[in-house]
Amino acid sequence: MRVEVPTERRVKRWGLSVQELVKDPIGRQVLETFLESEFSSENIRFWIAIQDLKYSPNDQIDHKTERIYEEFLAPGAPAQVNVDSRTLDQTLDCLQKATTASTRRHAFTHSEEHVFTLMAKDSYPRFVRSQIYKGVLSAAQQQGSRRLGWRNFIFNMGAAKKPQCKPAKTRDELHSQNLPKQLSSDSLPVRTAHAVRPEASAE
């Protein structure tokens, strides 16, 4: 995926609050990269999944609700988020009582708020001090609005190497290079000249 590199002003806003960070699509991606380095990316993925659930069509609510529970909250879930037992019980109670698409959209509110608070108080301060955030800010200052892959934008911030000039090739070298390998002069078979036998004279 290719995205527009954020401006310096935009990246600096991420440092104002966690709300400014997560409402920016690129900010969320950069935060997820940081959380992956801390082995806690499930928190932002859980939060993003719930935001998606809130604005999904009614016919997708049941499926997405079940998927969020199975991935993040169920016992032994592959990306289980760290919520206390009280918050989990409140969430399960809301899920059981939610019988319409409208109520199921907000059934995860207790867990959502718990995880967001955890990110705001614990992960976000470290993110702002991290080399990832500082690197993004530095790249934004240097590269402005160039379009780059966002992961390259974060990790490949070195200056591009200047191409080295090569000496011009001679006419013979260019001619040989353009020939298919099997037709180059070096690969052509050498034929030996055969003596021509004189024809027998008619008697």
Side-chain angles (χ1 to χ4, degrees), residues 42-43 45-56 60-75 77-81 88 91-92 95 104-109 111-112 115:
E42 67 276 0
N43 290 333
R45 291 191 286 114
F46 174 66
W47 185 84
I48 291 173
I50 293 174
Q51 309 317 303
D52 175 67
L53 173 68
K54 292 177 182 179
Y55 299 99
S56 295
Q60 297 181 12
I61 296 299
D62 288 345
H63 170 70
K64 290 187 175 183
T65 299
E66 182 178 354
R67 188 181 65 184
I68 290 173
Y69 173 75
E70 293 295 335
E71 183 175 356
F72 298 105
L73 294 174
Q80 194 169 34
V81 292
L88 180 59
T91 302
L92 294 178
L95 285 170
R104 291 178 75 82
R105 291 177 193 274
H106 304 282
F108 294 100
T109 298
S111 292
E112 174 194 359
V115 169

Side-chain angles (χ1 to χ4, degrees), residues 6-202:
T7 62
E8 177 185 357
R9 180 180 179 182
R10 183 174 175 181
V11 176
K12 283 184 174 180
R13 291 192 66 86
W14 301 349
L16 298 178
S17 68
V18 68
Q19 288 82 3
E20 289 289 340
L21 174 62
V22 299
K23 76 179 184 181
D24 188 316
I26 301 178
R28 291 195 297 269
Q29 292 178 325
V30 177
L31 176 61
E32 183 174 349
T33 298
F34 169 74
L35 293 177
E36 284 175 355
S37 71
E38 294 200 332
F39 305 100
S40 59
S41 62
E42 67 276 0
N43 290 333
I44 186 63
R45 291 191 286 114
F46 174 66
W47 185 84
I48 291 173
I50 293 174
Q51 309 317 303
D52 175 67
L53 173 68
K54 292 177 182 179
Y55 299 99
S56 295
N58 288 343
D59 59 353
Q60 297 181 12
I61 296 299
D62 288 345
H63 170 70
K64 290 187 175 183
T65 299
E66 182 178 354
R67 188 181 65 184
I68 290 173
Y69 173 75
E70 293 295 335
E71 183 175 356
F72 298 105
L73 294 174
Q80 194 169 34
V81 292
N82 184 17
V83 296
D84 58 75
S85 58
R86 179 173 176 271
T87 301
L88 180 59
D89 289 343
Q90 290 174 326
T91 302
L92 294 178
D93 185 58
C94 289
L95 285 170
Q96 292 175 355
K97 293 179 179 179
T99 57
T100 65
S102 178
T103 54
R104 291 178 75 82
R105 291 177 193 274
H106 304 282
F108 294 100
T109 298
H110 294 288
S111 292
E112 174 194 359
E113 292 177 350
H114 178 87
V115 169
F116 189 82
T117 300
L118 186 65
M119 288 194 296
K121 292 184 176 181
D122 186 32
S123 302
Y124 176 72
R126 292 199 302 276
F127 168 78
V128 175
R129 298 191 300 268
S130 71
Q131 291 302 314
I132 288 180
Y133 175 69
K134 292 177 182 178
V136 172
L137 180 58
S138 175
Q141 292 168 338
Q142 294 175 19
Q143 304 190 51
S145 61
R146 287 178 56 194
R147 297 184 67 82
L148 297 171
W150 74 272
R151 289 187 181 275
N152 290 335
F153 167 55
I154 296 173
F155 297 111
N156 298 331
M157 295 176 293
K161 295 182 179 179
K162 295 183 179 180
Q164 297 180 351
C165 296
K166 296 182 179 180
K169 295 186 177 181
T170 65
R171 183 177 179 180
D172 291 340
E173 288 175 333
L174 290 173
H175 176 71
S176 177
Q177 184 181 31
N178 291 332
L179 287 173
K181 184 176 180 181
Q182 64 271 24
L183 295 182
S184 65
S185 59
D186 294 336
S187 62
L188 288 174
V190 178
R191 295 185 178 181
T192 57
H194 296 281
V196 179
R197 295 181 180 179
E199 296 182 0
S201 57

